[in-house]
Amino acid sequence: MNMSRLLVPLVALLLLPSAVRAEGGCEEWISPALAEGPVTFGFLSADVATGRRACPRTEVGFGVQGGAIIETANLYGAVTGAGLLSGSLAVRPDLEVFATLEAVRVQYVQNATLTGTVISLGQLTVGGTWMALTRGPLVVSPSVRLQLPTSFASPRTRTLGGEVGAAVLYRPVNRFEVHGYAGVDTAMSLGAAAALPRAGFLVNVGTEYALCSGFAAVLDANLHFGHRAALDYLAPAIGLRFRAGEHFGAELGASMPVLGPERALAIGGLKLTYRM
């Protein structure tokens, strides 16, 4: 029997799932360089408890993110900023691995009697997303994310955590999408202090519309439960996304909690990406 006659259909069967998953909603976006999915500036470290996009991409990015806590009644204030390095690799058309690092984290804190500034390496997260289901414009992609104990913000304590979730995308035309994400995140402290294990649950729902191939706007709603209270925060988020040429993109984003005990007044940031 001619072995080549057996190898050809076998190779075709192995490649078929990826080829099928590469079609559908993920192939319909108006411009490859224009960012897609939820706004990724969140209230926790790096990209912890932020929505993931459903579609694999290969890109590298640099961003800055900041937030502030102002509690006049308690004579307390804190301003935090971070320089973010991020990247993702589409290993296959249906599989992405990604990482985000707080390369520099700066925090300035003041109370009634003391002030202090801490500059340190921040948290590193690594993870992966698998595009498990495509049905026309509908895409469902489960993901996992691990938060590694790299931060030196607290000199005697490190934070270890993880997250499991799924992203959903519905993109009926090439300039409009509805997206969502639901995930469970856990974290605990390592070191001299108590472990303080905690768990939370994030729900993200949003929409994105591209006015043209060079500009899109995003509006999200984020609900997080379980870290501090039954409802940690309800926070709307907005993003403005741009592209320059075939590969470069930029995003301005901000989010503000309107319900819950989250102490930050708001967070915001700028992210620049190069998509390959």
Side-chain angles (χ1 to χ4, degrees), residues 109-147:
V109 179
Q110 180 175 357
N111 60 22
T113 57
L114 299 173
T115 62
T117 302
V118 176
I119 303 174
S120 67
L121 178 69
Q123 294 292 145
L124 169 66
T125 63
V126 296
T129 300
W130 174 47
M131 193 165 62
L133 173 68
T134 60
R135 291 293 184 271
L138 178 67
V139 181
V140 179
S141 301
S143 68
V144 297
R145 180 162 34 196
L146 180 64
Q147 181 182 188

Side-chain angles (χ1 to χ4, degrees), residues 47 54 61-62 64 78 84 105 109 165 173 181 187 190 203 224 237 241 258:
D47 60 348
F62 168 76
V64 290
L84 303 175
R105 182 178 178 85
V109 179
V173 295
Y181 176 85
L190 306 174
V203 177
H224 194 270
R241 293 169 171 171
V258 294

Side-chain angles (χ1 to χ4, degrees), residues 15 18 32 65 100 110 118 141 253 257 271:
L15 295 177
S18 293
Q65 175 176 309
T100 299
Q110 180 175 357
V118 176
S141 301
K271 184 177 181 182

Side-chain angles (χ1 to χ4, degrees), residues 10-274:
L10 178 59
V11 171
L13 285 173
L14 290 174
L15 295 177
L16 181 59
S18 293
V20 171
R21 292 188 184 102
E23 299 175 356
C26 284
E27 293 300 298
E28 292 299 319
W29 193 225
I30 190 169
S31 172
L34 201 61
E36 49 191 307
V39 176
T40 57
F41 300 111
F43 296 98
L44 301 180
S45 299
D47 60 348
V48 175
T50 62
R52 286 297 306 173
R53 62 172 180 261
C55 300
R57 295 170 59 123
T58 297
E59 67 182 25
V60 293
F62 168 76
V64 290
Q65 175 176 309
I69 300 173
I70 307 296
E71 297 178 347
T72 305
N74 297 324
L75 300 177
Y76 177 84
V79 177
T80 302
L84 303 175
L85 299 177
S86 62
S88 61
L89 174 65
V91 181
R92 301 193 316 239
D94 64 331
L95 181 64
E96 174 191 272
V97 294
F98 59 86
T100 299
L101 172 66
E102 291 179 319
V104 178
R105 182 178 178 85
V106 182
Q107 186 171 32
Y108 172 80
V109 179
Q110 180 175 357
N111 60 22
T113 57
L114 299 173
T115 62
T117 302
V118 176
I119 303 174
S120 67
L121 178 69
Q123 294 292 145
L124 169 66
T125 63
V126 296
T129 300
W130 174 47
M131 193 165 62
L133 173 68
T134 60
R135 291 293 184 271
L138 178 67
V139 181
V140 179
S141 301
S143 68
V144 297
R145 180 162 34 196
L146 180 64
Q147 181 182 188
L148 300 177
T150 57
S151 176
F152 290 89
S154 299
R156 295 173 29 178
T157 304
R158 303 288 181 267
T159 300
L160 175 66
E163 185 176 343
V164 179
V168 178
L169 170 71
Y170 180 73
R171 184 178 286 156
V173 295
N174 71 347
R175 64 175 62 229
F176 173 76
E177 71 176 44
V178 177
H179 53 250
Y181 176 85
V184 176
D185 61 271
T186 61
M188 64 181 295
S189 300
L190 306 174
L196 299 176
R198 53 198 180 274
F201 180 64
L202 173 73
V203 177
N204 163 271
V205 178
T207 184
E208 180 172 7
Y209 180 73
L211 277 72
C212 60
S213 64
F215 173 74
V218 191
L219 183 62
D220 285 348
N222 296 291
L223 294 95
H224 194 270
F225 308 87
H227 276 195
R228 297 182 179 89
L231 174 63
D232 293 320
Y233 57 80
L234 165 61
I238 188 170
L240 302 177
R241 293 169 171 171
F242 311 85
R243 75 169 179 92
E246 296 182 2
H247 301 285
F248 286 98
E251 176 180 8
L252 284 168
S255 182
M256 176 183 296
V258 294
L259 288 176
E262 171 59 47
R263 300 172 68 192
L265 291 179
I267 56 96
L270 168 66
K271 184 177 181 182
L272 307 176
T273 58
Y274 179 85

